[in-house]
Amino acid sequence: MTGLGSRLFCKVGKLCEQLPVFLNTFLVFSITGEVSYLVLVAAPLEAEQQKTAWSSWWKALHLLGQYFMLGNICWNAFLFLKVSPSIKGVFLGGNGLGQGWRYCYTCETHTPPRCSHCYDCKVCVLRRDHHCVFFGQCVGFRNYRYFLCCLLFMWLGLLYAMVMNAEVFIVILKEGVTLHSILLLLIPWIMLVSGQVSARAFTFAFIADTCVVGFLLVSAFFFFHLFLLFRGQTTREWYSSRRPYNLGPVNNLRQMLGLRWYICWLSPLIPSPLVGDGINFQVTGSLEPIQKSGQSLSL
């Protein structure tokens, strides 16, 4: 009985780990479906334009753009999850005595600079940035490009969806800023359960709210990582206020995104070989821990 309970607990735990991925996928496709409906059915065109050939071209261009962004989001996310950033299968070499090397007692191996152990992934990760709870995997040397490009197209997609949903906000507020309209925008779930709005009105209000909140959240992540990218830092290095690997904006882009950094963001299918091996890095500053309040901070 104990063994059955343990196995059941493990399965529930694994399911919970994948829950953010399922929720993200559901929201991405829900927003895409709603925006497609706005384009095809409730296109914000003038009455005269809707009767002309421009209407078809307008819709085709919008659909092409949004599905291009959707394809990039999905493919970058897939490659991010598929490409392992860990040290598994990597010959670290050396004897671990170089500057910046340390010993991981969990993995029982010496690890190179910028590598650290993730207790969620249960493995050391090369040039570890952070553990992404939304994807359930670490961001590291080999999958950073896909993570950043996924953020880029999520930001563009949510910006586009938010603009397209401006019509929804206009319709909701067309009779003025009333208590009903405010509650519909702030707590659409409660309005639906209490029978104050229809399922259709709830769907549009909920997705419009999701676009705004998602855009603000993704904007914070995206621009923070752009900031780190140009400084040649990982999130962990930013916490310690150290920039020992800053090679200048262009070289930092090459280090993070590969040799074709200037074009690889257009599609994850464009090959962009990474510079280096994730083990050895060109150093431009001290690797010694910074002393703060009598304590040392280490990477």
Side-chain angles (χ1 to χ4, degrees):
M1 190 68 180
T2 305
L4 178 62
S6 177
R7 288 195 298 271
L8 182 62
F9 181 78
C10 289
K11 289 182 179 180
V12 172
K14 290 181 179 179
L15 182 62
C16 291
E17 290 177 359
Q18 299 300 321
L19 186 60
V21 178
F22 294 138
L23 288 176
N24 287 334
T25 304
F26 172 75
L27 288 175
V28 166
F29 281 94
S30 296
I31 292 172
T32 303
E34 188 256 4
V35 174
S36 297
Y37 174 84
L38 290 176
V39 170
L40 293 172
V41 180
L45 291 173
E46 298 295 333
E48 295 77 11
Q49 291 178 317
Q50 293 179 359
K51 300 176 183 178
T52 64
W54 168 241
S55 175
S56 299
W57 281 106
W58 187 90
K59 293 178 180 180
L61 288 173
H62 273 270
L63 291 176
L64 182 64
Q66 76 178 67
Y67 285 108
F68 172 75
M69 290 185 285
L70 176 65
N72 269 283
I73 291 171
C74 294
W75 200 248
N76 275 299
F78 171 74
L79 290 177
F80 171 76
L81 293 171
K82 181 181 179 182
V83 176
S84 173
S86 73
I87 62 173
K88 290 181 179 179
V90 178
F91 177 69
L92 298 178
N95 54 12
L97 299 178
Q99 188 181 25
W101 284 71
R102 60 189 63 206
Y103 189 79
C104 176
Y105 289 93
T106 305
C107 295
E108 298 181 343
T109 184
H110 288 94
T111 57
R114 313 184 84 177
C115 178
S116 65
H117 189 84
C118 175
Y119 290 95
D120 293 300
C121 298
K122 299 178 178 60
V123 70
C124 284
V125 176
L126 294 174
R127 200 183 67 196
R128 180 171 178 259
D129 190 276
H130 69 284
H131 182 84
C132 180
V133 295
F134 296 105
F135 286 107
Q137 178 160 287
C138 270
V139 181
F141 175 72
R142 288 193 290 265
N143 64 0
Y144 185 85
R145 166 199 169 179
Y146 305 118
F147 170 77
L148 188 66
C149 290
C150 188
L151 277 182
L152 168 64
F153 282 99
M154 286 178 69
W155 183 80
L156 291 174
L158 285 168
L159 176 62
Y160 168 76
M162 194 169 60
V163 172
M164 292 299 295
N165 274 280
E167 189 76 11
V168 175
F169 291 106
I170 293 173
V171 170
I172 293 175
L173 300 174
K174 68 179 180 180
E175 297 180 357
V177 182
T178 63
L179 180 61
H180 181 274
S181 61
I182 293 174
L183 292 177
L184 177 58
L185 290 174
L186 294 179
I187 48 175
W189 280 102
I190 295 179
M191 296 292 283
L192 176 67
V193 173
S194 61
Q196 299 297 313
V197 296
S198 64
R200 185 175 185 273
F202 160 77
T203 301
F204 281 110
F206 175 74
I207 293 182
D209 288 348
T210 302
C211 290
V212 174
V213 175
F215 176 75
L216 295 175
L217 183 63
V218 172
S219 294
F221 280 116
F222 177 59
F223 287 107
F224 173 67
H225 278 280
L226 275 185
F227 168 76
L228 295 180
L229 178 64
F230 284 103
R231 288 165 59 95
Q233 281 182 309
T234 63
T235 300
R236 303 184 73 253
E237 291 162 356
W238 176 76
Y239 280 128
S240 61
S241 303
R242 294 165 56 189
R243 300 169 59 187
Y245 304 102
N246 183 21
L247 305 177
V250 174
N251 284 324
N252 289 338
L253 286 167
R254 292 176 71 251
Q255 290 285 329
M256 296 289 194
L257 303 180
L259 296 175
R260 296 191 179 95
W261 59 269
Y262 49 87
I263 196 174
C264 70
W265 56 271
L266 283 173
S267 171
L269 300 178
I270 298 175
S272 183
L274 292 171
V275 177
D277 53 9
I279 299 174
N280 302 292
F281 298 94
Q282 183 178 345
V283 180
T284 59
S286 174
L287 295 179
E288 294 300 321
I290 294 177
Q291 298 290 332
K292 288 187 178 181
S293 302
Q295 296 182 346
S296 63
L297 293 177
S298 62
L299 298 180

